[in-house]
Every structure is written in structure tokens, then in C-alpha cells.
Amino acid sequence: MTVITATLFAANGSAQKINYPKTNQVDHVDDYHGTKVQDPYHWLEDDRSAETAAWVKAENAVTFEYLDKIPFKGKIFTDLEKAYNYPKYSAPTKKGDYFYFYKNDGLQNQAVLYRQKGLNGTPEEVLDPNKLSTDGTTRLTVFSLSKNGNHAVLGFSKGGSDWQEYQVMDMKTLKMLSDRVEWVKISGAAWQGDGFYYSRYPKPEGSALAAKNENHQVFYHQVGTEQSTDKLIFEDAANGQRFHTVGTTEDEQYAVLSVSDRGKGKDGNGLWVMKKGETKFAAVKEEITDFSFGVVENVEGGFLVETNENAPNSKILFYESKTKSWKPFLPEKPEPLQGAGTAGGKLFVSYSKDVTSRVYVYDLKGKLENEVQLPGLGTVGGFGGEKEDTFVFYTYTSFNYPPTIFRYDIASKKSSVFREPEVSFKPNDYETKQVFYPSKDGTKIPAFIIYKKGLKLDGSNPTILYGYGGFNISLTPAFSPTRIPFLDQGGVYVQANLRGGSEYGEKWHEQGMKLKKQNVFDDFIAAAEFLIKEKYTSPARLAIQGGSNGGLLVGAVMNQRPELFKVAFPAVGVMDMLRFHKFTIGWNWIADYGSSDNLEEFKVIYAYSPLHNIKSDVNYPATMITTADHDDRVVPAHSFKYAAELQEKAGTSSANPLLIRIDTNSGHGASNTKKALETQSDIYAFLFYNMGLSWK
């Protein structure tokens, strides 16, 4: 195969004439239930071929030549760096005499792990991931301390990959031991005694970044030993497309095994426990259905278990070990339960009301003691701790409230600010409002709209509409320092809470999955129509953005309503809906999408699959697809094939650029701070340039 390198030249005004690379087509046809589907760019699925590498190089040459000719791109990057350059901290976690926390001084590629004795001690560096690679793309993904605090598991990811390597640190000397645990994926590190449980896959055959991952295994690693001697705890080779993960209770008396079967379209999991010293797991919930079960903690006589079985908004039950029976503990509420955990002998439970957090404290018998008073309507995370703790930490944030760490005193039931962010930001300069707009079928969909005060509703405002809508994931209010410069330029940011997420519990999720996926696209289109009707923006000033499942969303709606948007940013999207389950852990998404292997589901998927619904002679929005070479979650072949098809079919008919930006040494998300800022500045530059605007 040959790839012809393209050239690009500037024209008058904001337009640039683009000659796209010539992408070779092959005669590859797949048969789905009697329907023949052409796959002319099938060869781009081979991420290790010289032809694919040449294609990537040619496409990037076109894209970056285009971006580099935008006169204000450098100014945007400078503004984003300035906005992002302030110290950022994580909430501390306590183990023994030490408090552990992460800190990024401002523009460090990776946050540094520190510890200090007591709350007023001097911080001591535990590990600086910035020293682990020359380009700062090796990330610390796991830090798990043993119960006595003598050792810790540290997990590392290179270049943005989901593959991890685990190592062990001696916490007395802060020196790494010789332990190396490889091919870890979809795993934590759950300590029990002087070793830990973890999950891994066999070493992949073929491409480590694209080959299908099957036969998820649970092992136990003893500190100070070789991985080859690790004890296999659980596997189910006959059901290779299952996840097997193990956690341990705080007292380490129980290992808890969760088994999911999403490859067969089941959205829930089975649950087993194994007492310390025993060798077999005992079933708590053996049958795997669409209901989820998770152990919150072990308490006297059994376990507290969170589940959505016959409770779409979830509830907590008590499982009595001796009788193997279930008893009510915390009933389902009108608001979805978002999470639960124990600390200081209390149960902390968070709920979501209209996409904002509420937190309540219960005793371990299920009696409500109090609600935690939060600063406002936003998002909260934290409250983790151990039984002996007298206080816990949590982080609160909202669109106009930078992440702030609070200390909650369990006895007094009072919160106090522990650490405020040192960010240059005036919250009173910005307006945040929540609206509810009707979707195509009349369902009311919530959305947050953020802009600088004094905005004129005249339809001229550059607007980013962001969405996700899937996998029971909620888009909650959160502060973004790189969003502020956009708002300062007169921009409007809109976050739509589409069906398919967890905003209103499992029923909300179910309305946006499998055969009902079109609801998600309708919700997003309705958001755009609402913003135009209310004169926040117009089609000429509206951009849509989404990543992963949100990339699929953007690709689908720009096929269905191309005239509604001026600019589109599909990021790391699932664009080939017929073949997604054939790569890495893509089979895991069958529970949400369905599968082309099923005739009824194939008909629905084929009708919206972004790759398969691109039309010729359509003026598509100015499009910049973003992906990365180390994305082994949604493999870049999705974006490669989509870009090739879009350029082939609409490259001449569309008056707008149709580009793909392929990052290197990065994955499903930016692998370091510099890459994140570069990508975001390119997005803003592309948006303003194609709307005929300048960045002041």
C-alpha cells in the first residue's frame, strides 16, 4: 500500500483549502445476518503496520499544518497555561502516623505523591512520576497501602495505555523492592496480610494495544516473590469475556470477588466472599443478571451490600452470613444512590438530586444521624477512612467553585475548610444555571449552562455543547480552569445530562442503551435546538463535543443533523459500531450497546453507527477528530476509519475542514499536563477559526 502525502495552502479569510491524503481502499466485506457491509479501510485496524504509520504521519501533517496557520493559536496556549498554573492537591488519606496526598505545583506533567506526619508535618516526597520518563507520560495509576502501612503497591501506566505494571515500595525506606507484576488491567490492589490480590490477562498475542483481552484472572502476590510464583485465585477460561476483580474488607478478614458478564450483554454482576484462611469463595449472589451488587463493608454478622435489584435508584441491604438471608437496611429513595462507604464507625451515603450531591451520615444499624451541609449545589467526593478515624476529608466542586478540600469532624458533625485552591478566579463574574428542556419524546432533560455575566442572548455566542449519555455515568458539575479563558472570550459552555447516564438512576440509564440508544442522540439534538431557540447561540456558532461514548454521540448526531452545528469534536469515539467488540475489552460494552452478532441489535446499531452513515455530498460541520496511538480502550482504528470515510465521501462536498489529530504516546485521555493543554488549545483555536472569530 502507498499513502500520498497531502499539501495545504492558506486562502483569504479563515478558509484554508485542504488536499486530504489519499487513503487506499481494500475489498473487505463482512456479512451481518445476510447484510453485506463494505469495510474499505479495514487495513487501518493494524496498528503495527508501516502503512498505518505512514497514514497517521500524512494525516497529522495536514492537521498540524492547518492548525499552525491559525494566527492566535499560540495566544490560546499561553492563556490556558496561565489559567492552569496553580497548585492542585488531592484530599489526604491517613495510614498510621502519616497523611498521604498528591500535589501538582501547577504545570507539572504528573502530580507528585507526598506524605507527612500529622496534619502539620513537613511534606516528604514519596514518588515523583515526572522522573520516570523523559516526556512525562508515565503515570502513577495505583497507590495502595498495606494495613500496617509498611508496604504499598504502586501501579504504573506508560504512554497512556490501560496496561499497568505493579511494583512494591518499602514505606520505611521509600525504596522500591524487586517485585514486578505485569499485564495488569481492570484491577485494584487489595491487601491481605503481606500480599495482595490483583487481576490480569495472559500476555496478549499480536498487538498489545489492539488484541482482544480474554480470560481475566485473579492472582495473589506475596511481597518479595517473583510474579511466576503468584497463586492463581480465580479464573473462568470457559467464559473469557468476564471481569473478575477482588477487594478486601477493611479488617482484611474477607476477600470479595465480583464477576461481571457484560460480554453476554448482562449489566450486573455476581458476588462471592472468602474468609481469610479459607480457599474457596462462598456465593452471596451467584446468578449474574442485570442487577449490580457491591459490598460496602463487613459489619457484625454479615455484610452491607449496595444493589439496584428491584430498586432502580439503588438501596443497601444487610446480608446475614450465617443464614444467607437478606434484610432491609437503607431503602431506595426518590434520588439515585451514588456511593456509600464507612469511616469512624459511621456509614456515609451520597445521593444525587437533579445531578447535584447530597451526603447523609448513618450509624451502622441504619439510623440516620445527619445530613452533611455542603457549600452549595455541586459535586462531592471522598469521606473514605478507617474505623478508628475521628474525621474524614472530602472535596467539593462546581462549575464556578474550584475543588476545595474540607475536613468533616465526625463527633461535631461540622465541616471546615482544610485547603482552598490558590487559583486566580472570581466566581461572581460567571453565571451557572440549570435548565430542563424537552427531548423529542417530551422527556425533560437537564442541562447546565455556564457563561460570563452580561451575556447577550442574540444568537452570536460561540457555544460548546458537551455530552456523554451512556454506561450509567453521570456528568456532574465540576470546575475546569481551562474553561475560564473560553468563557472570558464570550463563550458559552453547556453540559447536557442525556439519558443513558446515571443522573436519575437505572431507569434513566436503560432509556439510553441498546435498542433505545437513539434517545441519547435525540436528547443531544434537542439541546442544540433549545440553545438556538433561546438565542444562546445559532448553528453558525454552535460546536458539539464528546469523548469515548461521547465521541460516538458526536459522530452520530453530525450524521443525522449536520446543518445544526458549525463545529464538531468527536474524541476517541466508538465509531465502528459493528466491530467494537473485536478489540481489547470492547466486548465489555455489549451490555450497553448490544452487538452486531444479534440480528435485532444489529439493525439498530447499523442505523446510527457513525462510520456507516456518512453521506456523500453533505456539508458536514468543521470536524477535528482526536485520538491517540496508545488508546487501547477505544482503539484508534475507530477514528482512523471514520476520518478516512469522512474525507473520502465529504471531503469535496463539505466547505469545512474534516481533520484528524492523532497524539503520540498518549491514550484514552491525555497522558500528561502538556499534552492536555496542547489538545485543548488546538480545540479552541479550531473552533474560533472556523466560526470566523479571533481570540483576543
Side-chain angles (χ1 to χ4, degrees):
M1 292 180 187
T2 58
V3 180
I4 302 173
T5 303
T7 59
L8 171 155
F9 62 87
N12 292 332
S14 64
Q16 292 187 26
K17 170 67 176 177
I18 300 174
N19 293 320
Y20 299 105
K22 172 68 176 176
T23 306
N24 282 356
Q25 297 186 359
V26 297
D27 184 19
H28 183 100
V29 180
D30 291 316
D31 188 317
Y32 297 93
H33 315 284
T35 299
K36 302 290 195 298
V37 178
Q38 298 281 343
D39 191 5
Y41 306 113
H42 183 82
W43 61 275
L44 285 169
E45 292 181 0
D46 185 355
D47 64 309
R48 299 182 300 168
S49 75
E51 291 84 0
T52 299
W55 183 88
V56 168
K57 184 178 180 180
E59 289 285 350
N60 266 347
V62 171
T63 298
F64 286 105
E65 189 176 350
Y66 181 95
L67 292 170
D68 289 344
K69 289 186 177 180
I70 298 175
F72 45 81
K73 189 180 81 134
K75 173 71 163 57
I76 295 176
F77 184 80
T78 300
D79 288 353
L80 296 191
E81 266 198 330
K82 183 179 178 181
Y84 198 81
N85 191 11
Y86 66 93
K88 304 166 193 68
Y89 294 83
S90 72
T93 57
K94 185 175 183 293
K95 180 66 70 172
D97 295 333
Y98 287 99
F99 288 89
Y100 292 83
F101 62 94
Y102 294 91
K103 179 189 177 185
N104 188 311
D105 287 339
L107 294 174
Q108 289 176 288
N109 275 320
Q110 307 292 338
V112 179
L113 177 63
Y114 294 92
R115 71 177 182 182
Q116 64 187 52
K117 277 194 174 183
L119 291 177
N120 299 314
T122 301
E124 172 187 27
E125 182 183 298
V126 176
L127 184 89
D128 182 358
N130 298 288
K131 300 175 182 177
L132 301 178
S133 59
T134 56
D135 62 355
T137 61
T138 296
R139 295 178 299 137
L140 176 59
T141 54
V142 170
F143 179 68
S144 176
L145 287 154
S146 62
K147 186 170 179 60
N148 59 17
N150 291 338
H151 295 95
V153 177
L154 286 82
F156 300 98
S157 162
K158 295 181 180 180
S161 171
D162 281 346
W163 288 115
Q164 298 175 84
E165 178 182 282
Y166 283 1
Q167 299 180 31
V168 178
M169 177 180 281
D170 183 329
M171 298 311 296
K172 293 180 180 178
T173 64
L174 300 185
K175 301 293 184 183
M176 287 293 191
L177 304 182
S178 61
D179 303 58
R180 293 288 188 278
V181 176
E182 297 180 317
W183 302 112
V184 179
K185 185 184 280 194
I186 315 296
S187 178
W191 283 92
Q192 191 173 66
D194 52 4
F196 58 91
Y197 298 96
Y198 68 95
S199 302
R200 62 160 290 180
Y201 283 103
K203 182 179 179 179
E205 298 180 5
S207 170
L209 298 176
K212 183 184 287 188
N213 303 142
E214 294 184 314
N215 192 20
H216 205 216
Q217 303 164 313
V218 177
F219 285 88
Y220 180 83
H221 177 81
Q222 189 89 16
V223 171
T225 64
E226 298 290 329
Q227 184 177 11
S228 59
T229 66
D230 288 356
K231 182 179 179 181
L232 178 63
I233 301 299
F234 187 86
E235 73 170 338
D236 185 358
N239 293 287
Q241 294 183 357
R242 288 182 170 183
F243 287 146
H244 309 120
T245 56
V246 167
T248 50
T249 54
E250 182 187 327
D251 59 11
E252 295 189 356
Q253 289 304 301
Y254 292 92
V256 180
L257 170 68
S258 175
V259 179
S260 64
D261 199 9
R262 294 178 59 85
K264 291 184 179 177
K266 297 177 181 178
D267 203 32
N269 66 287
L271 197 65
W272 287 259
V273 296
M274 180 170 65
K275 193 168 185 178
K276 189 175 183 179
E278 297 180 352
T279 57
K280 289 186 177 181
F281 284 97
V284 174
K285 194 68 176 181
E286 187 165 10
E287 183 183 5
I288 302 174
T289 65
D290 284 332
F291 299 122
S292 63
F293 295 84
V295 169
V296 178
E297 193 53 83
N298 63 319
V299 293
E300 185 178 353
F303 301 89
L304 298 181
V305 178
E306 179 185 339
T307 180
N308 62 358
E309 184 176 33
N310 302 319
N313 288 340
S314 295
K315 60 187 176 183
I316 296 178
L317 300 174
F318 174 71
Y319 178 78
E320 189 173 68
S321 301
K322 186 176 181 179
T323 62
K324 298 183 178 180
S325 61
W326 297 91
K327 296 180 180 179
F329 189 81
L330 288 187
E332 181 185 22
K333 294 180 65 172
E335 299 80 27
L337 192 158
Q338 296 292 300
T342 58
K346 306 295 181 183
L347 176 67
F348 292 84
V349 186
S350 63
Y351 291 89
S352 175
K353 182 176 176 60
D354 288 332
V355 207
T356 57
S357 296
R358 308 290 190 277
V359 180
Y360 300 91
V361 184
Y362 297 82
D363 68 17
L364 295 184
K365 298 295 183 181
K367 179 183 177 183
L368 175 64
E369 294 193 348
N370 61 284
E371 179 179 358
V372 178
Q373 298 302 311
L374 302 176
L377 300 179
T379 305
V380 69
F383 294 101
E386 298 184 341
K387 187 177 181 180
E388 295 78 17
D389 290 342
T390 58
F391 59 87
V392 293
F393 296 98
Y394 66 90
T395 302
Y396 173 86
T397 184
S398 193
F399 292 110
N400 60 351
Y401 199 110
T404 302
I405 302 168
F406 289 83
R407 170 177 166 169
Y408 177 81
D409 185 81
I410 295 174
S412 69
K413 305 176 183 179
K414 301 292 185 183
S415 295
S416 57
V417 174
F418 175 74
R419 180 169 280 140
E420 287 184 296
E422 304 167 33
V423 57
S424 178
F425 172 68
K426 298 178 180 179
N428 292 332
D429 289 351
Y430 305 88
E431 185 80 25
T432 299
K433 64 192 301 185
Q434 187 179 36
V435 299
F436 294 83
Y437 64 90
S439 188
K440 183 177 180 180
D441 62 2
T443 301
K444 292 291 186 180
I445 310 297
F448 293 97
I449 305 176
I450 305 95
Y451 51 87
K452 198 163 188 178
K453 288 181 178 178
L455 183 82
K456 294 181 180 179
L457 298 180
D458 58 7
S460 68
N461 306 300
T463 299
I464 296 175
L465 171 59
Y466 186 89
Y468 187 78
F471 293 91
N472 210 27
I473 293 172
S474 180
L475 293 184
T476 57
F479 179 78
S480 169
T482 57
R483 188 183 300 137
I484 303 308
F486 170 70
L487 301 180
D488 288 345
Q489 295 289 325
V492 178
Y493 179 80
V494 183
Q495 187 166 290
N497 296 105
L498 316 173
R499 283 174 285 184
S502 65
E503 285 86 346
Y504 293 99
E506 183 57 26
K507 288 183 178 179
W508 193 256
H509 175 213
E510 290 173 354
Q511 288 178 44
M513 59 190 289
K514 292 187 176 178
L515 303 182
K516 298 179 180 179
K517 189 67 177 177
Q518 183 60 41
N519 283 337
V520 183
F521 312 139
D522 291 341
D523 293 353
F524 203 54
I525 290 168
E529 293 174 331
F530 172 84
L531 294 169
I532 293 166
K533 178 185 176 183
E534 298 297 320
K535 296 190 180 301
Y536 284 98
T537 191
S538 63
R541 293 288 168 85
L542 178 57
I544 49 174
Q545 184 181 23
S548 194
N549 174 72
L552 156 65
L553 167 70
V554 171
V557 300
M558 61 182 274
N559 280 338
Q560 295 179 14
R561 293 292 302 277
E563 81 290 350
L564 204 54
F565 320 106
K566 179 59 179 176
V567 180
F569 297 110
V572 293
V574 188
M575 304 313 229
D576 185 346
M577 290 300 298
L578 303 185
R579 292 178 56 78
F580 69 81
H581 53 302
K582 299 182 181 295
F583 305 98
T584 63
I585 59 166
W587 47 261
N588 167 55
W589 313 329
I590 291 174
D592 226 71
Y593 294 144
S595 169
S596 59
D597 295 337
N598 177 288
L599 175 58
E600 185 181 19
E601 293 170 347
F602 162 73
K603 291 178 179 178
V604 173
I605 290 170
Y606 191 35
Y608 71 75
S609 176
L611 174 64
H612 301 97
N613 288 277
I614 298 170
K615 302 176 182 67
S616 300
D617 302 323
V618 169
N619 187 29
Y620 280 95
T623 302
M624 187 167 72
I625 306 155
T626 52
T627 187
D629 63 349
H630 276 62
D631 188 350
D632 48 3
R633 195 176 312 172
V634 180
V635 294
H638 282 278
S639 293
F640 292 175
K641 291 163 65 175
Y642 174 73
E645 183 80 358
L646 189 62
Q647 290 172 357
E648 170 65 25
K649 285 191 172 178
T652 56
S653 61
S654 179
N656 301 307
L658 307 171
L659 303 176
I660 181 168
R661 184 189 188 278
I662 306 157
D663 208 347
T664 56
N665 238 20
S666 208
H668 199 58
S671 55
N672 66 27
T673 295
K674 185 172 185 289
K675 287 181 178 292
L677 293 175
E678 288 172 343
T679 301
Q680 189 60 56
S681 64
D682 285 352
I683 285 171
Y684 285 152
F686 187 86
L687 183 153
F688 272 69
Y689 191 60
N690 281 283
M691 290 183 180
L693 302 170
S694 62
W695 188 281
K696 301 172 184 177

